[in-house]
Amino acid sequence: AQSVTQPDIHITVSEGASLELRCNYSYGATPYLFWYVQSPGQGLQLLLKYFSGDTLVQGIKGFEAEFKRSQSSFNLRKPSVHWSDAAEYFCAVGGSRGTDKLIFGTGTRLQVFP
Amino acid sequence: GAVVSQHPSWVICKSGTSVKIECRSLDFQATTMFWYRQFPKQSLMLMATSNEGSKATYEQGVEKDKFLINHASLTLSTLTVTSAHPEDSSFYICSATSGGGQPQHFGDGTRLSIL
C-alpha cells in the first residue's frame, strides 16, 4: 500500500536550534518526494522536491532533505530555525509524472519559541 | 513563477445553496488540477483529479453529483458544491501542474462555512 508516515505530530524547538522532521514512505514504484509547508489558513508552499540524482536536496528558506532509499525516509532538516518557520509541514510522495496524485502524510506542526 | 490563484478565499452561505470555487493557474498551463479537502488540524484529502477537457476522476467516497468539477481550459478549474449543508463546511484547496514531472503548486485555499 502507498502511504506516508510523519511520526511526529507536534514539535517544539527554540529559535536558533536545529530541526529535523521525519518522513517515511511506502510506494510501489520509484518515489518522487516532496515537502510542503502550510501557514494557518493558507495553501501549501513547496519547500523542496526529490526526483533523482543527488540524495541531498536543497530547498527554499534554508531547508534541506535527504533521501535514504534503504530506510524509505525523506527527512527534512534546517540547521537554525527562525520564528517564522512555525507552521505545518507535510511530506508527500507521488509518481514520476507531475500529473500523478500525491499521497500526503498527516503533517507535523512546528512551534518555535524565542 | 508557478502561481495558482484560488477564489474566493472565504465564503459563508445558507444551507441548500450552491457554491462555486475557482482555481486558476496564472503563469503556466495546467494540464492537471487537483481538488483537496482539509479538516481542521488534519492532512489533505484528495477529492478529485481533473484534466483539461476531460471528466474529473473522483476518489472513492466522494460524491460526484455533490462536488461538480469543471476544467474547461488550461488555466481554470472550478469546484461547485451543490446544495451545500453544514457538513460540507471545510477548507478546500486546489493545486495545479503542467505535467512532465513538474510538482503541484497550490492555491491559498477557500474556507467554506455553511450555516
Side-chain angles (χ1 to χ4, degrees):
Chain A
Q2 300 173 346
S3 65
V4 175
T5 301
Q6 292 181 248
D8 304 307
I9 297 173
H10 189 190
I11 284 183
T12 301
V13 299
S14 298
E15 191 171 19
S18 63
L19 172 71
E20 182 170 34
L21 303 183
R22 296 183 290 166
C23 173
N24 292 95
Y25 68 90
S26 174
Y27 200 74
T30 301
Y32 280 20
L33 294 153
F34 307 84
W35 274 99
Y36 287 90
V37 61
Q38 183 181 34
S39 297
Q42 304 268 323
L44 275 67
Q45 181 182 22
L46 179 67
L47 284 176
L48 48 77
K49 60 185 185 291
Y50 172 77
F51 286 170
S52 64
D54 193 347
T55 56
L56 184 64
V57 293
Q58 303 297 320
I60 62 171
K61 303 185 179 186
F63 285 93
E64 66 177 27
E66 185 171 13
F67 171 61
K68 293 185 178 180
R69 185 184 298 276
S70 61
Q71 298 177 21
S72 297
S73 70
F74 188 56
N75 294 347
L76 181 72
R77 300 194 293 249
K78 186 169 183 178
S80 178
V81 171
H82 189 263
W83 64 267
S84 60
D85 293 324
E88 188 88 20
Y89 291 80
F90 292 97
C91 179
V93 65
S96 60
R97 304 176 305 170
T99 52
D100 288 335
K101 62 184 182 182
L102 293 177
I103 298 166
F104 282 88
T106 50
T108 297
R109 180 167 298 277
L110 173 66
Q111 198 168 6
V112 180
F113 282 114
Chain B
V3 178
V4 175
S5 174
Q6 194 171 334
H7 178 80
S9 57
W10 198 358
V11 58
I12 302 173
C13 59
K14 293 181 179 179
S15 184
T17 59
S18 293
V19 179
K20 180 184 284 188
I21 302 170
E22 293 187 347
C23 180
R24 295 180 184 272
S25 57
L26 298 185
D27 53 0
F28 67 99
Q29 293 188 326
T31 56
T32 305
M33 288 184 167
F34 302 84
W35 287 96
Y36 296 85
R37 185 172 180 176
Q38 186 179 31
F39 292 101
K41 299 186 179 181
Q42 293 191 27
S43 188
L44 281 73
M45 181 191 79
L46 180 65
M47 299 174 66
T49 302
S50 82
N51 293 294
E52 185 265 336
S54 303
K55 287 185 178 180
T57 301
Y58 290 81
E59 294 298 300
Q60 191 172 9
V62 178
E63 300 175 61
K64 59 179 67 176
D65 295 331
K66 174 89 175 159
F67 299 99
L68 301 179
I69 291 171
N70 183 277
H71 191 167
S73 78
L74 283 171
T75 59
L76 174 64
S77 176
T78 60
L79 167 67
T80 301
V81 183
T82 62
S83 188
H85 288 93
E87 58 266 28
D88 299 322
S89 298
S90 192
F91 193 56
Y92 293 87
I93 308 176
C94 73
S95 71
T97 177
S98 56
Q102 292 301 310
Q104 294 180 30
H105 296 279
F106 287 78
D108 282 338
T110 297
R111 184 159 303 284
L112 175 62
S113 297
I114 309 298
L115 304 178

